Amino acid sequence: MGAADEMAGDEKPWGEVTPEAARRLLLAAVEAFAERGYHATTTRDIAGRAGMSPAALYIHYKTKEELLHRISRIGHDKALEILETAAGADGTAAERLTDAVRSFVRWHAGHHMTARVVQYELDALGDEHRAEIVELRRRSDAAVRRILNEGVAAGEFDVPDVPGTTLAVLSLCIDVARWFNAQGRRTPDEVGALYADLVLRMVGAQPPAK
């Protein structure tokens, strides 16, 4: 299963990346980084998977690290969009937390190859790029923390340690990318629903009636 296949439900995987040659290289990099790890992957590996010469890669990406940064930035922007949309939506804190976790987990399962690269190769980025991604992670943390704080204030949640619980919720969701198998028993939607239920129990809320 390749990086394009895992996003079969998307209209065009990585469609925001242009021109087409740059998109093909990015897809190839996602596959290579997910399978081999960033440090074990060479630019020749990436170019070969894309059906291009190593020289062609440098037309679009100056370095291997630039490719990783592009992948990481797009992935973290999507994750942040999911969480901030849920945090700012109407409804109770429990409803918003359910939507946040379900959508966040569904993305990590449905895009598990991409998500493994996005979430677990942060240390391979250079200092400037790492700082940029860390800021996006901080904003993701803030979105979940906002929901938890509002749930506590409304009496919906029983959470003595909001920062620690925020970390636990995000870690639980992100880890799905590490183990999810598209050939397994559960679909991304089913895993999302399961994790939303687990997180509501974690914060002392009653799951909504089905």
Side-chain angles (χ1 to χ4, degrees):
M1 181 178 183
D5 297 327
E6 72 170 6
M7 295 181 280
D10 293 359
E11 188 171 328
K12 183 178 182 182
W14 303 97
E16 62 269 65
V17 179
T18 56
E20 177 62 20
R23 190 182 78 90
R24 282 169 49 203
L25 285 163
L26 188 140
L27 285 166
V30 168
E31 293 177 6
F33 293 157
E35 290 175 15
R36 299 168 56 85
Y38 174 82
H39 292 294
T41 298
T42 67
T43 53
R44 185 174 294 275
D45 293 332
I46 296 168
R49 286 172 184 258
M52 300 165 69
S53 70
L57 185 148
Y58 295 109
I59 294 173
H60 302 285
Y61 302 99
K62 295 183 179 68
T63 64
K64 185 175 69 165
E65 192 267 354
E66 185 179 317
L67 253 175
L68 177 63
H69 170 248
R70 186 85 167 104
I71 294 164
S72 190
R73 178 65 201 235
I74 292 172
H76 278 90
D77 280 343
K78 180 60 179 177
L80 179 61
E81 177 189 353
I82 289 169
L83 295 174
E84 288 190 335
T85 297
D90 294 329
T92 66
E95 290 169 342
R96 287 182 286 131
L97 184 60
T98 296
D99 184 48
V101 172
R102 182 186 292 128
S103 300
F104 198 53
V105 167
R106 187 168 54 216
W107 188 84
H108 279 79
H111 304 75
H112 55 96
M113 182 179 291
T114 299
R116 281 203 300 275
V117 177
V118 167
Q119 298 293 358
Y120 295 113
E121 294 286 3
L122 178 65
D123 288 343
L125 291 171
D127 291 344
E128 183 178 347
H129 286 158
R130 187 186 306 113
E132 176 187 314
I133 299 303
V134 166
E135 172 60 18
L136 294 176
R137 290 188 176 210
R138 186 198 64 76
R139 290 173 59 190
S140 290
D141 180 280
V144 175
R145 190 178 302 199
R146 171 187 168 186
I147 299 173
L148 294 182
N149 278 322
E150 291 175 356
V152 170
E156 293 182 55
F157 301 158
D158 179 13
V159 181
D161 182 349
V162 169
T165 303
T166 299
L167 177 61
V169 169
L170 288 170
S171 297
L172 186 70
C173 296
I174 287 167
D175 194 57
V176 169
R178 183 183 57 78
W179 62 259
F180 185 81
N181 182 349
Q183 312 306 318
R185 291 175 47 244
R186 298 182 190 272
T187 66
D189 283 339
E190 289 170 341
V191 177
L194 171 64
Y195 274 50
D197 180 85
L198 291 173
V199 168
L200 286 182
R201 296 177 191 278
M202 182 191 299
V203 301
Q206 289 297 317
K210 297 179 181 178

